[in-house]
Amino acid sequence: MASYQKLTAPKEGSKIKVLGPNKFEVPNDPIIPFIEGDGIGADLTRAMHIVINAAVKKAYDGKRKINWFEVYAGEKAVEKYGEGQYLPEDTITAFKEYSVSIKGPLTTPVGGGFRSLNVTIRQVMDLFACVRPVKYYKGIPSPVKHPEKVDMIIFRENTEDIYAGVEFMSGSEEAKKLRNFLIGLDPKIKEKIREDAAIGIKPMGPFASKRLIRKSIQYALDNNKSSVTLVHKGNIMKYTEGAFKDWGYELAKAEFGDRLIPEAEVTGSTNKIIIKDRIADSMFQQALLRPDEYSVLALPNLNGDYMSDALAAQVGGLGMAPGANMSDTIAVFEATHGSAPKYTNQDKANPGSLILSAVMMLIHMGWKEAADLVEKGINKTIEQKYVTYDLARQMEGATEVKCSQFAERIAQNM
């Protein structure tokens, strides 16, 4: 058992055991660390606990129970650990020890030592896959005619591309030195990079790309999805994003060759999939015009960032968009939106993103019966138009309710 500076793990409950890559043994009383989050995080987390506790109790007749273990990040961590302690080592230790955890939205400190607390959590634990399922819940207001056709899982690479954060400011000595170095490699670059340009570096390699694509293909096979689409800008960036596509096909052929079928082949098989690729800008159009032709998308970091938010907009926005950041042994589930500090402690915000992230968590744990109950409760509550302000203002005849009331109705509607 790990030792903590200022945390005490629950006396009741057991750890989820990691048996190997993507293999877990989940007890009936798992300890799950959670970060409440900043701003609206407290309201959302309370709502999530109401729903998930009710679902687990109902699904398993009280024979299973989650033992919640609060850990800290953001403003609450500073209160407990002191100035500058936005992400204490205790929290990282708990996430690693217990394998599965969940967090509310965090506000990155202004002038702090972090570009982003969320990004730092991913980098410190090498959570290389950002996973976001996007699907429509009947009754949610949408800007498109057929949002029900959207049912995709985004697998976004988390560690390379622009999130490596290698960039140098316009006019800095570092930018000038790098420009001169590049010109030394190829004199034509002098015409492509102006003297006053800021310069960013986009690293992408086979190791990071292949492990992300491997995870997406395995997910597709495990969940009877029909295809995995590699989304890239390889027509322009041939050695980074073009290579992402090539590495994806190489890996698919080498490791999953007997499970693949050509894109042109029509099949009703549930144990084989299609691997295909699309240029990123074309994929945005496809997502609007032909979304039902795509199920799992594997993308480099920046493409995945854009695509996940664009798809979320089609099904009602980030308020109903769940997410997780994963390695092969650790999973941190999270609300995908910001902390909205102006609504702090107003019991007003939509808890849908965090609740649906907890649904992902239940599925990850193998507790699908409880996950199904939550989705049933959400569907029925939305159909009743008993919703928080963000949805109520877009729905004719809706009853606007508090965050906690929305959660309570979901629990009742299971």
Side-chain angles (χ1 to χ4, degrees), residues 372-399:
D372 289 343
L373 281 178
V374 178
E375 292 209 304
K376 178 182 176 182
I378 289 174
N379 277 316
K380 190 171 181 180
T381 303
I382 292 170
E383 287 181 9
Q384 293 170 344
K385 299 185 178 182
Y386 192 88
V387 292
T388 49
Y389 82 98
D390 58 317
L391 300 178
R393 65 185 180 181
Q394 303 177 69
M395 298 169 68
E396 187 176 343
T399 300

Side-chain angles (χ1 to χ4, degrees), residues 286-307:
Q286 295 286 297
L288 286 167
L289 299 179
R290 306 166 79 169
D292 49 344
E293 295 181 10
Y294 299 89
S295 52
V296 178
L297 306 182
L299 312 94
N301 187 276
L302 184 59
N303 292 336
D305 201 4
Y306 292 156
M307 188 63 67

Side-chain angles (χ1 to χ4, degrees), residues 246-363:
D246 294 339
W247 293 324
Y249 280 120
E250 287 174 13
L251 176 129
K253 185 177 181 181
E255 298 186 17
F256 301 95
D258 61 336
R259 308 289 297 275
L260 306 181
I261 54 175
E263 183 177 352
E265 184 177 324
V266 178
T267 179
S269 172
T270 58
N271 64 355
K272 292 191 176 184
I273 59 168
I274 296 166
I275 306 295
K276 53 189 176 182
D277 73 277
R278 296 291 183 267
I279 301 297
D281 44 321
S282 172
M283 187 62 224
F284 274 97
Q285 177 177 252
Q286 295 286 297
L288 286 167
L289 299 179
R290 306 166 79 169
D292 49 344
E293 295 181 10
Y294 299 89
S295 52
V296 178
L297 306 182
L299 312 94
N301 187 276
L302 184 59
N303 292 336
D305 201 4
Y306 292 156
M307 188 63 67
S308 57
D309 282 14
L311 286 174
Q314 291 181 228
V315 299
L318 291 178
M320 296 296 292
N325 294 287
M326 300 179 172
S327 69
D328 287 334
T329 56
I330 301 171
V332 180
F333 299 85
E334 64 176 2
T336 58
H337 51 68
S339 59
K342 70 177 182 178
Y343 294 124
T344 300
N345 294 324
Q346 292 184 27
D347 197 16
K348 186 173 183 177
N350 184 351
S353 176
L354 191 59
I355 291 172
L356 289 170
S357 296
V359 169
M360 288 181 68
M361 182 184 78
L362 291 172
I363 294 170

Side-chain angles (χ1 to χ4, degrees), residues 77-282:
V78 172
E79 293 174 11
K80 189 172 182 70
Y81 287 84
E83 189 65 32
Q85 295 294 310
Y86 290 99
L87 185 59
E89 189 62 34
D90 277 358
T91 298
I92 299 300
T93 300
F95 279 4
K96 290 178 178 179
E97 182 178 5
Y98 292 100
S99 304
V100 173
S101 53
I102 190 165
K103 58 177 282 295
L106 293 172
T107 302
T108 294
V110 177
F114 300 91
R115 279 175 174 253
S116 161
L117 287 174
N118 295 318
V119 172
T120 302
I121 289 171
R122 297 169 198 168
Q123 291 178 338
V124 167
M125 294 189 290
D126 196 27
L127 303 177
F128 62 84
C130 178
V131 183
R132 291 190 181 180
V134 187
K135 69 176 183 178
Y136 181 66
Y137 290 88
K138 187 178 179 181
I140 294 283
S142 169
V144 298
K145 289 183 177 179
H146 293 289
E148 73 281 357
K149 292 184 178 181
V150 177
D151 187 1
M152 300 185 212
I153 313 288
I154 298 284
F155 279 77
R156 168 191 173 198
E157 206 287 317
N158 252 347
T159 65
E160 294 190 325
D161 198 357
I162 62 164
Y163 265 47
V166 184
E167 59 176 356
F168 303 98
M169 189 184 303
S170 168
S172 67
E173 284 302 311
E174 293 86 353
K176 292 175 183 176
K177 288 179 181 178
L178 181 54
R179 178 176 181 269
N180 290 335
F181 172 75
L182 293 171
I183 291 170
L185 294 176
D186 182 357
K188 294 179 181 177
I189 288 176
K190 187 174 184 178
E191 302 171 5
K192 297 179 180 180
I193 305 177
R194 296 184 176 89
E195 289 187 25
D196 62 350
I199 301 177
I201 296 177
K202 179 186 176 76
M204 290 177 62
F207 172 78
S209 296
K210 285 185 175 182
R211 69 178 177 175
L212 180 280
I213 295 165
R214 178 184 298 111
K215 198 169 188 69
S216 70
I217 295 174
Q218 191 61 60
Y219 176 91
L221 290 169
D222 291 344
N223 292 275
N224 294 328
K225 299 297 182 181
S226 61
S227 66
V228 173
T229 304
L230 310 171
V231 183
H232 59 93
K233 192 63 179 171
N235 57 328
I236 302 298
M237 291 172 278
K238 300 182 185 300
Y239 303 126
T240 51
E241 301 214 6
F244 177 87
K245 175 199 70 173
D246 294 339
W247 293 324
Y249 280 120
E250 287 174 13
L251 176 129
K253 185 177 181 181
E255 298 186 17
F256 301 95
D258 61 336
R259 308 289 297 275
L260 306 181
I261 54 175
E263 183 177 352
E265 184 177 324
V266 178
T267 179
S269 172
T270 58
N271 64 355
K272 292 191 176 184
I273 59 168
I274 296 166
I275 306 295
K276 53 189 176 182
D277 73 277
R278 296 291 183 267
I279 301 297
D281 44 321
S282 172

